[in-house]
Amino acid sequence: MTGMAPVDLAVVGAGLSGCALLSRLAQRGFDGSVALIEAGRGPGGRTATRRSRRDEGLRLDHGAPLLNLSAGIEKELAPLLQPLIEAGQLQRETRPLLGLDHQGGWAESAAHPLLSGQLWRGVPEMAAIAGSLMAHGPAELQCHFGLRLRWIERHGGIWLLADAEHNQVIEARRLVLSGNLLAHPRSLAMLAWPDVPLRSAVACGEDLQLDQALASIAGIEATVRWNLMLSLPSPPVADLPRQLWCLPEAQQRWGLERLVLQTQADGRLGVVLHGFDGGEAITPESQPLLLQQQERRQLEAWRELTASWPGGEWWAEQAESLGVMRWGASLPILGALPQHLQWCGASGVGFCGDWIAGPGYGRCEGALHSVLKLADQLMEAN
Ligand SMILES: Cc1cc2nc3c(=O)[nH]c(=O)nc-3n(C[C@H](O)[C@H](O)[C@H](O)COP(=O)(O)OP(=O)(O)OC[C@H]3O[C@@H](n4cnc5c(N)ncnc54)[C@H](O)[C@@H]3O)c2cc1C
């Protein structure tokens, strides 16, 4: 034990769902203390915006570039999103979304679940959405950014949470995981962890609901994306589309899902190429080489696909690579945690995120929906 008083609730993850949960709890009148713990440098998670320490002006939405709501701002989500719309931090996406053919030509975009319904974007950048939700959270909120949890233990009804070195320990009465890394066996291979932390914290049979939840989480499969980030000077073409979706033959040729184009405040252009996974095993040993291979492969694809654009070789010659970001669980594609397992009362742990079954599953919309019932359950448990 740390000697510090435990907080009433620890929320792991400052992505959309973790931050939306804070906002929802505040709306429901939650008056306890909360610790928000996030491995990244700021809020956003998979809707984060990449900033460069070397280039302060550059902002790249290197994960989800927009939020699509299949039924628009429906009644259930309005309390979460309306304050952001009123503050101008969430606006309708008006820039064009086009398709990309296998010769680099721009075409009409094919239909896709990530483009269905109303399209919204964060202003000035995607990370503003999670940031604003967080700012609407409970009054007694302590934020721990840059803290990657590795250890979870439970003693006398209190959760003890710590990083790999046990340098920082946080105690909490209740715990919510918004990502499933600490509860999913993928960490065994990808991070070479010897155990699944949440499984080790509560022995089998102690909380039957948690046993069921962990079994269900183990069945969730997600895709991997390798996103190459590029910076270019002011481009020779005005009115660029926001996204270029690769049509099937282009996907096959270049191994890319889409290109996201982001004009910067100073006129420069940021581009993010969303690259499919090649299926190689990702381990701490293999990752550095895979990152290099992806960078080479995608730079070559960029050179080929822009060759027919106005300005020709300018696009490839002027592009500066800012490196590749690997998104380990970019979109859940198989399995989901049923809603009735979202809150495991006996051990005081809950789950939210786009991997919870329900509307918008696997997308930003699902991440937002996932907090609604959980917030009610946390209020009852408080
Ligand atoms: C490349 C890409 C493109 C996408 N495109 C779209 C799109 O066009 N439209 C759409 O609707 N959705 C899209 N998505 C999906 C969308 O981004 C997600 O559905 C949504 O952001 C999920 O939010 P979340 O809060 O559930 O999870 P996350 O954003 O993943 O939040 C979980 C947070 O928990 C933190 N965390 C996890 N483990 C730990 C730990 N041990 N210690 C500390 N912190 C931890 C993580 O750092 C992360 O910030 C895309 C995703 C990716 C990656």
Side-chain angles (χ1 to χ4, degrees), residues 13 16-17 38-39 45-46 66 68 147 149 258 353-354 363-364:
L16 265 193
S17 63
E38 166 57 52
R46 279 172 280 156
L66 53 77
N68 62 308
L147 175 55
L149 291 183
R258 58 180 139 162
D354 61 351
R363 299 186 278 110
C364 294

Side-chain angles (χ1 to χ4, degrees), residues 6 54 73 79 119 126 141 150 155 177 184 206 212 219 224 234 241 253 274 328 330 355-356 362 364:
R54 282 182 296 136
I73 308 262
L119 308 183
M126 283 303 286
L141 174 67
R150 161 67 186 92
H155 296 294
L177 301 186
H184 194 284
E206 265 184 42
Q212 277 185 51
V224 173
S234 178
R253 176 170 178 190
H274 291 226
S330 66
W355 44 283
I356 312 294
C364 294

Side-chain angles (χ1 to χ4, degrees), residues 12-18 37-40 44-47 62-68 114 147-150 178-179 181-182 193 225 227 243 245 257-258 274 327 329-332 352-355 362-365 367:
V12 182
L16 265 193
S17 63
I37 302 155
E38 166 57 52
R46 279 172 280 156
T47 55
H62 61 335
L66 53 77
L67 188 163
N68 62 308
L114 292 178
L147 175 55
R148 180 175 294 280
L149 291 183
R150 161 67 186 92
S178 72
L181 183 68
L182 292 160
W193 288 358
R225 286 283 181 282
N227 286 8
Q243 289 191 46
W245 273 82
E257 178 194 61
R258 58 180 139 162
H274 291 226
W327 292 103
S330 66
L331 298 165
C352 60
D354 61 351
W355 44 283
R363 299 186 278 110
C364 294
E365 185 179 4

Side-chain angles (χ1 to χ4, degrees), residues 269-334:
L269 179 68
V271 180
V272 181
L273 284 74
H274 291 226
F276 290 120
D277 189 39
E280 298 91 349
I282 303 168
T283 63
E285 291 74 37
S286 70
Q287 170 147 310
L289 190 64
L290 291 172
L291 286 167
Q292 281 174 20
Q293 283 171 356
Q294 283 287 339
E295 185 174 32
R296 271 200 306 274
R297 187 181 70 71
Q298 293 195 37
L299 280 170
E300 180 57 15
W302 172 251
R303 194 184 61 73
E304 287 176 15
L305 69 86
T306 52
S308 62
W309 292 11
E313 288 177 1
W314 181 90
W315 300 91
E317 281 168 1
Q318 296 297 321
E320 181 199 348
S321 170
L322 304 175
V324 173
M325 165 79 185
R326 175 180 65 76
W327 292 103
S330 66
L331 298 165
I333 47 166
L334 189 73

Side-chain angles (χ1 to χ4, degrees), residues 115 157 174 306 353:
L115 299 175
R174 296 195 175 78
T306 52

